[in-house]
Amino acid sequence: NFPEKGREVLGSMIGMIILTIVFTSVILLAYGSALSQIFRQRQLADIKTDFINNMTHELKTPISTINLALDALRNPKVKNDEELTQKYLSMVREENKRMLEQVENVLRISKLENKELDLPKEKLELHDLIQDAMSHVELIVENRGGYIQTHFGALHSGVLVNDSHMINVFVNILDNPVKYSENAPKID
């Protein structure tokens, strides 16, 4: 006969119960931490893949524009026209500058891993950014027999953005019809 049978049994098992709770908590914390790391690594891998795809897209346009400008500079009619020569040389210089900015973006991706990515933003005119983006694809569009027309009518076009990234957005938007249209690209 054990008058305090429940207390005696519980007393003998309390050590095991506490250890079981502690070990289960440690296992759950380790599992949660591992899942968190896996999701973070997957997100970083997705960002890197998107970045590489975007960078490839970003570098194709300047290379195409530089090739077209250099081909135009070889043309005897252009060689004799100082104004056209300067225009094409300016295009080559601008596209080269744009490719250097893209290389800087590649270097910035390493800071993303360390969570140090800093995108400086400034207030700029959206219309100016669009005009700048148009100058990057203009020669390619003209070479395909197309055109780009603008219809700027915004009363307030000031935006707080990173200029090189925003220009890249607009260049991509303008570059898609050039790449995917079967006929001469007509962009309004």
Side-chain angles (χ1 to χ4, degrees), residues 69-120:
L70 290 175
D71 287 344
L73 285 171
R74 288 188 189 128
N75 186 335
K77 293 177 184 175
V78 174
K79 282 183 182 178
N80 297 333
D81 188 343
E82 184 65 28
E83 186 179 325
L84 274 178
T85 302
Q86 289 305 317
K87 176 184 174 185
Y88 290 130
L89 286 174
S90 175
M91 280 182 172
V92 169
R93 192 174 298 113
E94 284 298 315
E95 294 303 315
N96 189 40
K97 179 182 161 195
R98 186 162 168 250
M99 283 197 314
L100 287 173
E101 287 174 0
Q102 296 305 327
V103 171
E104 288 296 321
N105 287 339
V106 171
L107 295 175
R108 279 191 214 139
I109 196 67
S110 65
K111 291 183 178 182
L112 180 63
E113 288 180 359
N114 300 331
K115 296 184 180 176
E116 298 173 4
L117 185 62
D118 180 34
L119 291 176

Side-chain angles (χ1 to χ4, degrees), residues 20-135:
T20 302
I21 291 171
V22 168
F23 285 140
T24 303
S25 298
V26 168
I27 290 170
L28 287 175
L29 284 173
Y31 182 72
S33 175
L35 279 179
S36 172
Q37 289 293 329
I38 288 170
F39 285 131
R40 195 174 304 138
Q41 290 296 327
R42 183 174 179 180
Q43 184 181 24
L44 189 58
D46 289 345
I47 289 171
K48 282 184 179 180
T49 301
D50 290 345
F51 181 79
I52 290 169
N53 291 338
N54 188 31
M55 197 50 52
T56 303
H57 182 76
E58 294 297 329
L59 291 175
K60 281 184 179 181
T61 304
I63 290 170
S64 297
T65 304
I66 288 172
N67 282 336
L68 286 172
L70 290 175
D71 287 344
L73 285 171
R74 288 188 189 128
N75 186 335
K77 293 177 184 175
V78 174
K79 282 183 182 178
N80 297 333
D81 188 343
E82 184 65 28
E83 186 179 325
L84 274 178
T85 302
Q86 289 305 317
K87 176 184 174 185
Y88 290 130
L89 286 174
S90 175
M91 280 182 172
V92 169
R93 192 174 298 113
E94 284 298 315
E95 294 303 315
N96 189 40
K97 179 182 161 195
R98 186 162 168 250
M99 283 197 314
L100 287 173
E101 287 174 0
Q102 296 305 327
V103 171
E104 288 296 321
N105 287 339
V106 171
L107 295 175
R108 279 191 214 139
I109 196 67
S110 65
K111 291 183 178 182
L112 180 63
E113 288 180 359
N114 300 331
K115 296 184 180 176
E116 298 173 4
L117 185 62
D118 180 34
L119 291 176
K121 297 175 188 151
E122 55 186 300
K123 186 165 178 140
L124 300 168
E125 286 296 313
L126 194 59
H127 296 159
D128 294 341
L129 294 171
I130 293 171
Q131 286 291 122
D132 195 9
M134 285 172 44
S135 70

Side-chain angles (χ1 to χ4, degrees), residues 58 98 102 105 163-172:
E58 294 297 329
R98 186 162 168 250
Q102 296 305 327
N105 287 339
D163 63 337
S164 69
H165 286 287
M166 199 66 203
I167 289 171
N168 286 340
V169 167
F170 291 131
V171 167
N172 284 341

Side-chain angles (χ1 to χ4, degrees), residues 125-127 130 151-159:
E125 286 296 313
L126 194 59
H127 296 159
I130 293 171
H151 306 282
F152 296 143
L155 298 176
H156 304 287
S157 64
V159 289

